[in-house]
Amino acid sequence: MAQGMKELRRRIRSVTSIQKITRAMEMVATTRLRRMQTKAEGARPYADAIKSFSALLAGSAGKLESPLTKAREKVGRIALVVIGSDRGLCGAYNANVFRKVSAFLSDKKDLPFDLYTVGKKARVHYARRLPIKEAYPDEVEKLNFRRAREIAKQVTELFLKGSAAGGPSGGASGGVDEVHVVYTRFISVGRQVTTIDRLLPIAAEAPAKVAAGAAGAANESQMLLEPSPQELLDVLMPKSLAMRVFAAMLDSMASEQAARRMAMKAATDAAGEMIGTLTRKYNRARQETITKELLDIIGGAEALA
Amino acid sequence: MASTAFDFEVITPEGSAFRGRVTALRLTGREGTFGVLARHAPMVAALDSGVLRARHEDGKERAFAVGEGFVEVRRTGVRVLVDFCNSKSKIDVSRAEKAKTRAKERARNRDSKFDHARAEAALKRAMARLSTAGLPGLE
């Protein structure tokens, strides 16, 4: 029995120290989450301004065309940007992303694709499963707009090349006809949704938005546009794309921290429960030995009497 | 001449970089530099990376290195949307120097047209930072 008690004591101690670690990680994730949320809020004015510019251009200058908005008739190859995390212990965060990717790819059947990964976990996961076209450097946490712009530039270039739909090279051009991004949308601290969005071709401005832009443009009709609206659009489109990549990265980061916080909270709670159970077991074992010893003593005394 | 002040804000994807009242601005447009004073006609213009100078109400002038973007002039004020915005004191000159030589190097050996365009953009950014840092007598 003494052996069993020693073992129980040892287990209680180890679970207690695990609980300390998970609680600390939970707190770290909470702080990081707050930081990411601040970052995401900082990005909002820029995103809003880009949107209002798009609406303004759409409303002021009739029909504008950008090669980035044109959908291909036949999609021969797609690019997929997968945003995961660098570190684990964040619950099903990465698993959800990978599941989304699998579902999406099986949906597209035999369509060839190029895979781009952001985050160490995504890179490691796909290293043995699917051919990765390019893994962006790890350290999702050091993300900044520059990185997002680089990614946006690269996929834009691929998209503009096309998958040879029009060219004679027959798929050898290395371009793609659609670009999608898989990320985790941050809805609230308790809710994150794994999402797949089409980056390119850029979806046409929703009619409602255009209407709002046109109404706003009524008193903006005197607005000078320099250089021409078309040229402005050509500058605006890549910016808005880069901003969407950046926003997806920010959302993913916030979601990762939220997921980690939840996972660590669950682990801390589970550890607490385990400590309770183990302590009860330990106490019972201890009481048993005491009772046994008492019985021995009483038995001995009775035998003497 | 007493100059009128107007609201001015610089917005980057990483947050608002500057906000305040100014009396005059000097911006680097796609087609050359231009100035904006109070009661400028409403306008939207594309900006190149370069120096942005702002004169404050007290007459002091500040300089920023800014990335590509837009300026939006409205009756209510001026908004600048750019990739980045460094105030003069925060520019890392040695890093910008390095970026400049690297970009020049890349621009010289023309492997593909795209890389060339990219190197040129990087060079412009580095030049924006350097020329901002080199402006005398400004904050």
Side-chain angles (χ1 to χ4, degrees):
Chain A
M1 207 67 233
Q3 200 59 41
M5 279 170 67
K6 205 173 162 191
E7 172 66 21
L8 279 173
R9 256 204 314 266
R10 204 182 57 76
R11 281 187 64 192
I12 291 173
R13 235 190 348 256
S14 83
V15 175
T16 311
S17 61
I18 289 172
Q19 190 188 30
K20 272 185 196 152
I21 295 171
T22 55
R23 185 173 289 146
M25 286 184 75
E26 182 192 334
M27 288 193 283
V28 170
T30 310
T31 335
R32 286 234 174 102
L33 173 60
R34 204 166 299 141
R35 204 188 308 150
M36 287 316 299
Q37 278 178 297
T38 327
K39 233 176 170 178
E41 268 157 35
R44 201 156 301 141
Y46 188 90
D48 288 347
I50 290 273
K51 257 186 221 139
S52 78
F53 268 12
S54 310
L56 182 79
L57 280 178
S60 72
K63 214 162 158 46
L64 291 175
E65 289 263 308
S66 165
L68 297 184
T69 55
K70 226 174 271 163
R72 306 275 154 81
E73 276 163 35
K74 189 173 155 290
V75 177
R77 193 177 187 88
I78 53 173
L80 203 56
V81 181
V82 180
I83 304 179
S85 72
D86 282 331
R87 285 180 229 197
L89 293 179
C90 47
Y93 171 79
N94 284 305
N96 285 339
V97 171
F98 303 148
R99 199 174 318 132
K100 197 87 183 172
V101 173
S102 307
F104 178 74
L105 288 178
S106 64
D107 221 39
K108 294 272 169 182
K109 299 255 157 43
D110 303 321
L111 211 57
F113 61 90
D114 287 339
L115 195 64
Y116 294 82
T117 63
V118 179
K120 187 176 163 199
K121 289 286 165 187
R123 174 171 61 80
V124 171
H125 178 82
Y126 287 114
R128 285 158 178 276
R129 277 166 245 249
L130 296 170
I132 298 178
K133 187 80 180 293
E134 184 168 347
Y136 291 103
D138 297 343
E139 301 175 340
V140 181
E141 282 166 51
K142 284 195 189 156
L143 64 94
N144 50 27
F145 185 66
R146 258 188 83 135
R147 172 90 52 94
R149 194 179 52 197
E150 289 294 313
I151 295 176
K153 246 183 199 164
Q154 199 169 349
V155 295
T156 306
E157 193 200 359
L158 279 172
F159 176 72
L160 289 177
K161 261 195 215 160
S163 78
S169 41
S173 69
V176 298
D177 299 316
E178 268 182 20
V179 179
H180 296 260
V181 62
V182 185
Y183 68 105
T184 311
R185 190 188 292 261
F186 182 86
I187 293 172
S188 72
V189 177
R191 207 164 112 80
Q192 301 91 38
V193 181
T194 315
T195 314
I196 186 152
D197 269 357
R198 197 183 69 194
L199 282 180
L200 285 165
I202 295 170
E205 200 77 19
K209 250 191 230 159
V210 174
N219 60 326
E220 302 289 352
S221 53
Q222 264 78 25
M223 204 103 177
L224 300 170
L225 296 171
E226 186 207 292
S228 67
Q230 181 64 56
E231 277 171 274
L232 276 177
L233 190 74
D234 290 344
V235 183
L236 182 69
M237 281 298 173
K239 292 265 173 274
S240 117
L241 191 68
M243 194 56 215
R244 278 177 63 199
V245 174
F246 189 54
M249 285 162 82
L250 285 174
D251 256 36
S252 283
M253 271 303 295
S255 298
E256 180 194 333
Q257 298 306 341
R260 179 165 296 123
R261 207 185 74 127
M262 291 285 280
M264 288 303 113
K265 189 173 158 39
T268 309
D269 292 349
E273 228 167 82
M274 206 162 169
I275 290 170
T277 322
L278 287 173
T279 310
R280 260 197 304 283
K281 255 193 198 160
Y282 173 76
N283 286 342
R284 199 179 307 132
R286 194 179 57 118
Q287 190 57 53
E288 244 166 57
T289 15
I290 293 169
T291 314
K292 226 191 223 157
E293 263 169 38
L294 269 177
L295 283 176
D296 278 353
I297 294 165
I298 294 168
E302 267 172 4
L304 283 177
Chain B
M1 188 187 84
S3 40
T4 332
F6 54 94
D7 286 322
F8 172 58
E9 188 174 12
V10 182
I11 303 170
T12 72
E14 267 137 35
S16 177
F18 177 83
R19 175 176 227 161
R21 287 183 73 74
V22 297
T23 56
L25 293 172
R26 183 124 210 108
L27 302 156
T28 314
R30 292 234 142 190
E31 344 235 82
T33 64
F34 60 94
V36 174
L37 295 167
R39 289 191 286 272
H40 190 287
M43 171 181 79
V44 172
L47 297 177
D48 230 339
S49 28
V51 186
L52 187 161
R53 296 170 69 154
R55 184 177 293 128
H56 294 258
E57 277 179 295
D58 57 10
K60 264 193 201 147
E61 238 186 300
R62 283 183 73 165
F64 302 91
V66 297
E68 276 186 5
F70 299 92
V71 59
E72 181 188 25
V73 184
R74 286 177 185 269
R75 285 190 210 330
T76 46
V78 177
R79 273 199 307 184
V80 168
L81 289 179
V82 283
D83 285 0
F84 67 87
C85 174
N86 300 141
S87 64
K88 194 189 161 195
S89 55
K90 288 210 181 104
I91 292 169
D92 185 340
V93 177
S94 65
R95 201 180 134 185
E97 286 284 3
K98 265 183 222 145
K100 181 184 157 190
T101 37
R102 195 170 52 225
K104 269 193 174 164
E105 195 59 46
R106 284 191 191 153
R108 211 163 331 175
N109 54 64
R110 308 160 167 255
D111 286 338
S112 73
K113 205 185 149 213
F114 180 76
D115 278 336
H116 189 253
R118 208 168 180 171
E120 218 159 75
L123 183 60
K124 267 188 195 160
R125 286 197 292 273
M127 290 308 290
R129 291 200 167 98
L130 287 176
S131 44
T132 306
L135 286 174
L138 293 177
E139 239 180 273

